[in-house]
Amino acid sequence: MALQASAFPNGFVAAIHAVGWAFIVPCFWFLDRLIAVCKSTTLEKSQRLEQECYLRPLEVFFGSITFFILFLATAPLAFLGFLLWAPLQACRRPFSYHRGMPSLPEKATNKGFELTGKASFVFASANLCLLPDSLARFNNLANTQRRATAIGQCIVQGISRPNIRILVDSPSSCGTLSPSSSILPTVNSPTYGATVSQHPDPAEMHDLNLNSNIDCVPNDDTKEPLNESTFPLLNSNRNSNQQDQSSQQNPRALSSQGLRQQSDVPWEISPLFPANVDILCLEEVFDKRAARKLTNILKLEFGHILYDIGVYACQPPCRCSSFKFFNSGLFLASRFPVLEAQYHCFPNSRGEDALAAKGLLSVKVLIGKNQKQKRVVGYFNCTHLHAPEGEGEIRCIQLKMVTKWIAEFQAANKQPDEDVVFDVLCGDFNFDNCSPDDHQEQSHSVFEEYKDPCRAGPGKEKPWVTGTLLEQPTLYEEDVNTPENLQRTLESEDLRKRFIAPPVPKADSPLVYPETDQPWIGRRIDYILYRESSISKQCQTEIEEVTFITQLAGLTDHIPVGLKLNVVMDSDSADE
């Protein structure tokens, strides 16, 4: 589908839509505040107790009356706006496209693959729960606009930091050292709720050499300050880095930078987003203002952003049973130019999920050229499946649609003169790999096509994996209210039991979890999968890192996840 800045075919239609929406907004806002004033988060309740505030009943009573009256007063205007707004959705494109000038030029990001045939691609996915404020409060989250700003700033701070690796070859190096918290300059970050942590300032990060990959290997008794000669500089991982030879030679490199090698997958629980994320997928960005705030912040790092993804009103037209009040909630930011994009809406949603246009977004991005000057591309797909528990059959049908739509998209956009270097599927699948109630989804054929680096088999996780769904009532407790505290909690099996959502038992069956000699992991419903069968034959793929990210502690009820893939193209067979 053609990528346009506006979702509408011309300025006149866009203007009518803007007028209609302007008529709707006041009524919508008063309804939002009417519900929000009656629903408090646990953080707000605890703050009122600490302040010994006894005016809450009066606030609820008079606030409810005031907002209800204003809601009724603006309802006729909203109805008029609805009559303008709803019919225009039939000609609306399913997304808006922002193209800007990020801090790193595109040529620099693509240069390494052309020269060496090697590159690392970094992907991240996060569910942000950016619903209208009243609805977000049912997930124990509030202040959607403030959270959107704080989340965007956190993401930029994480991905714009230098990719620094420290090797400490000493008896004391057995502990985990997080480079982001130990050697980077830190300042007080904008906080929301109970989040009171320190993060690197983006301006300071840009003053550093972002293309540095530093390995430091001091002796046990070294007391001299580390100078420039101590830090051999390698290429950065902004898709121009080669494999870190020193890390391969010294197995302690992984643990000293926060990574741990267990089985065949290096993994990390990190207080920051991975450095230099190439493609970022966000879910539940339902609020339009929040989406614009994220776009304005993330465009500093990502030159290509798809937002307001989905459909509204009756889709297809004249079918009131499928009326959509919210878009899909998907949001995609890419460093690479988007060549093609396609969105599909799930037709089988039920209940509250049917109010949102959940579906699949598939994009084809341009990486650059290989050593033989052939165009190099990648495929990236993101989705958000049906949410209610106990309805696995709906999710299975949606997964079948996802694989079908991906196959059709790739077949329609495949070109004979290009090489495909990655094919990734990610998002909030709303089922885990440990709950007996999710056994249907766990055995779905999508896991035969795509690889899940965290999965040992149907219903069985690898022992180092952690759940990604937090218990909503405990979001602001001290053990999880900062990135550092949440990181420590996820690393402790006993603490995970308190703060990660437990598996869902099957109806009328007692839950036995975990099995003997197995760790307590909890519900992991956020996935990043990759496929090798659809990429070019001369490409070899290796997992460099799987990351569970705690940087958004207190800002969302999910743990974001990251995946770093190393791709090597055999130059001798590049023309095959």
Side-chain angles (χ1 to χ4, degrees):
M1 177 173 290
L3 299 175
Q4 304 289 338
S6 172
F8 293 95
N10 56 64
F12 177 74
V13 175
I16 297 177
H17 176 268
V19 171
W21 184 244
F23 288 171
I24 295 173
V25 166
C27 182
F28 178 82
W29 190 83
F30 290 133
L31 177 61
D32 184 55
R33 299 319 304 162
L34 172 63
I35 300 173
V37 77
C38 301
K39 182 69 175 177
S40 299
T41 66
T42 56
L43 177 63
E44 292 169 336
K45 292 177 182 177
S46 64
Q47 289 174 340
R48 285 196 294 268
L49 289 176
E50 292 174 359
Q51 298 169 0
E52 297 184 356
C53 179
Y54 305 106
L55 299 178
R56 176 61 180 170
L58 293 177
E59 178 186 349
V60 173
F61 178 75
F62 288 107
S64 300
I65 292 177
T66 301
F67 288 123
F68 182 70
I69 293 173
L70 292 172
F71 165 73
L72 293 179
T74 55
L77 187 65
F79 180 73
L80 177 60
F82 179 82
L83 296 179
L84 292 174
W85 173 85
L88 296 178
Q89 304 311 309
C91 63
R92 178 185 174 274
R93 299 186 185 95
F95 41 70
S96 297
Y97 176 51
H98 168 83
R99 177 167 184 172
M101 295 297 295
S103 58
L104 186 74
E106 290 172 5
K107 287 186 178 179
T109 64
N110 308 338
K111 184 178 179 181
F113 201 82
E114 182 177 346
L115 297 177
T116 66
K118 302 177 182 179
S120 290
F121 300 100
V122 187
F123 311 98
S125 176
N127 183 312
L128 304 184
C129 196
L130 292 178
L131 290 153
D133 187 53
S134 58
L135 300 182
R137 289 172 175 270
F138 288 93
N139 285 9
N140 201 22
L141 293 162
N143 299 317
T144 293
Q145 305 308 318
R146 288 171 53 195
R147 282 194 299 118
T149 299
I151 287 169
Q153 291 172 344
C154 286
I155 293 174
V156 168
Q157 289 170 1
I159 67 176
S160 62
R161 62 191 169 96
N163 186 30
I164 299 177
R165 296 183 179 182
I166 306 174
L167 309 185
V168 184
D169 192 10
S170 68
S172 63
S173 67
C174 57
T176 300
L177 175 63
S178 172
S180 57
S181 59
S182 59
I183 64 174
L184 296 182
T186 59
V187 295
N188 289 329
S189 68
T191 59
Y192 164 77
T195 306
V196 284
S197 61
Q198 291 186 336
H199 302 294
D201 187 274
E204 296 184 32
M205 294 299 94
H206 286 295
D207 291 336
L208 298 174
N209 180 6
L210 295 182
N211 294 328
S212 298
N213 191 0
I214 303 174
D215 289 19
C216 167
V217 192
N219 294 326
D220 293 353
D221 55 353
T222 296
K223 296 183 179 180
E224 296 179 348
L226 302 177
N227 54 37
E228 196 169 327
S229 62
T230 315
F231 298 87
L233 299 182
L234 303 178
N235 291 329
S236 76
N237 81 329
R238 287 187 185 261
N239 299 322
S240 59
N241 67 332
Q242 300 181 12
Q243 289 181 334
D244 184 6
Q245 297 299 324
S246 61
S247 296
Q248 294 176 352
Q249 295 169 1
N250 190 339
R252 307 183 79 160
L254 291 174
S255 64
S256 66
Q257 67 176 28
L259 293 177
R260 302 134 198 215
Q261 179 74 48
Q262 190 165 346
S263 183
D264 59 338
V265 180
W267 60 281
E268 177 184 13
I269 298 175
S270 171
L272 290 176
F273 272 79
N276 310 322
V277 170
D278 294 303
I279 302 181
L280 173 69
C281 173
L282 305 175
E283 301 88 47
E284 291 199 12
V285 186
F286 290 114
D287 188 272
K288 290 184 177 183
R289 284 196 297 154
R292 285 194 293 269
K293 289 178 185 291
L294 283 174
T295 300
N296 290 334
I297 297 172
L298 295 179
K299 69 182 181 182
L300 300 174
E301 292 294 325
F302 297 97
H304 308 271
I305 297 177
L306 295 177
Y307 63 99
D308 197 11
I309 300 168
V311 294
Y312 295 94
C314 299
Q315 298 295 331
C318 303
R319 285 183 55 185
C320 295
S321 60
S322 59
F323 194 94
K324 305 298 181 184
F325 287 93
F326 299 103
N327 60 28
S328 69
L330 297 175
F331 181 104
L332 185 138
S334 171
R335 295 192 191 274
F336 305 118
V338 178
L339 299 175
E340 301 288 344
Q342 188 173 51
Y343 161 81
H344 289 277
C345 181
F346 293 132
N348 66 332
S349 297
R350 289 199 313 218
E352 62 187 34
D353 259 32
L355 301 178
K358 288 185 176 180
L360 171 75
L361 175 70
S362 297
V363 299
K364 177 182 178 181
V365 297
L366 175 64
I367 308 301
K369 294 183 178 179
N370 61 19
Q371 294 165 298
K372 300 296 184 180
Q373 297 302 301
K374 291 182 66 176
R375 193 164 73 163
V376 178
V377 301
Y379 290 107
F380 189 85
N381 311 278
C382 49
T383 189
H384 188 185
L385 301 184
H386 190 67
E389 297 174 1
E391 299 186 359
E393 185 176 348
I394 293 178
R395 283 186 287 272
C396 285
I397 295 173
Q398 290 179 346
L399 282 174
K400 187 175 181 180
M401 295 177 189
V402 164
T403 55
K404 175 179 177 289
W405 290 335
I406 290 175
E408 292 173 350
F409 176 76
Q410 295 184 6
N413 294 285
K414 183 178 181 181
Q415 301 295 330
D417 59 340
E418 61 188 18
D419 289 317
V420 180
V421 291
F422 62 76
D423 181 359
V424 172
L425 169 62
C426 74
D428 180 354
F429 287 9
N430 273 314
F431 67 85
D432 58 58
N433 197 35
C434 64
S435 293
D437 192 56
D438 293 336
H439 70 283
Q440 284 181 281
E441 303 96 301
Q442 294 163 6
S443 302
H444 196 275
S445 59
V446 69
F447 295 107
E448 298 174 6
E449 296 188 36
Y450 284 87
K451 292 185 178 181
D452 181 357
C454 300
R455 171 186 166 105
K460 185 176 182 181
E461 301 279 47
K462 293 182 179 179
W464 47 266
V465 171
T466 181
T468 62
L469 182 62
L470 293 167
E471 288 276 53
Q472 293 169 354
T474 65
L475 289 179
Y476 306 107
E477 293 192 17
E478 185 177 358
D479 285 326
V480 293
N481 66 359
T482 70
E484 294 77 13
N485 290 353
L486 180 55
Q487 180 188 28
R488 286 191 289 269
T489 293
L490 295 182
E491 290 172 344
S492 167
E493 184 175 342
D494 289 337
L495 288 176
R496 280 204 305 268
K497 295 177 183 178
R498 289 179 52 201
F499 298 103
I500 297 295
V504 181
K506 201 170 182 179
D508 302 324
S509 298
L511 177 65
V512 179
Y513 182 83
E515 298 179 1
T516 307
D517 299 327
Q518 293 296 315
W520 199 99
I521 292 171
R523 301 199 70 194
R524 178 178 64 93
I525 65 175
D526 300 272
Y527 294 76
I528 301 184
L529 315 179
Y530 70 101
R531 180 163 60 177
E532 293 180 318
S533 60
S534 56
I535 67 175
S536 299
K537 294 181 179 179
Q538 62 269 23
C539 290
Q540 297 179 357
T541 302
E542 181 183 21
I543 298 175
E544 281 195 42
E545 179 182 344
V546 171
T547 310
F548 298 94
I549 305 157
T550 64
Q551 192 173 4
L552 303 185
L555 297 171
T556 181
D557 55 350
H558 285 244
I559 305 295
V561 293
L563 175 66
K564 185 175 182 180
L565 288 179
N566 181 55
V567 178
V568 180
M569 179 171 286
D570 184 1
S571 59
D572 295 334
S573 58
D575 283 335
E576 293 181 4

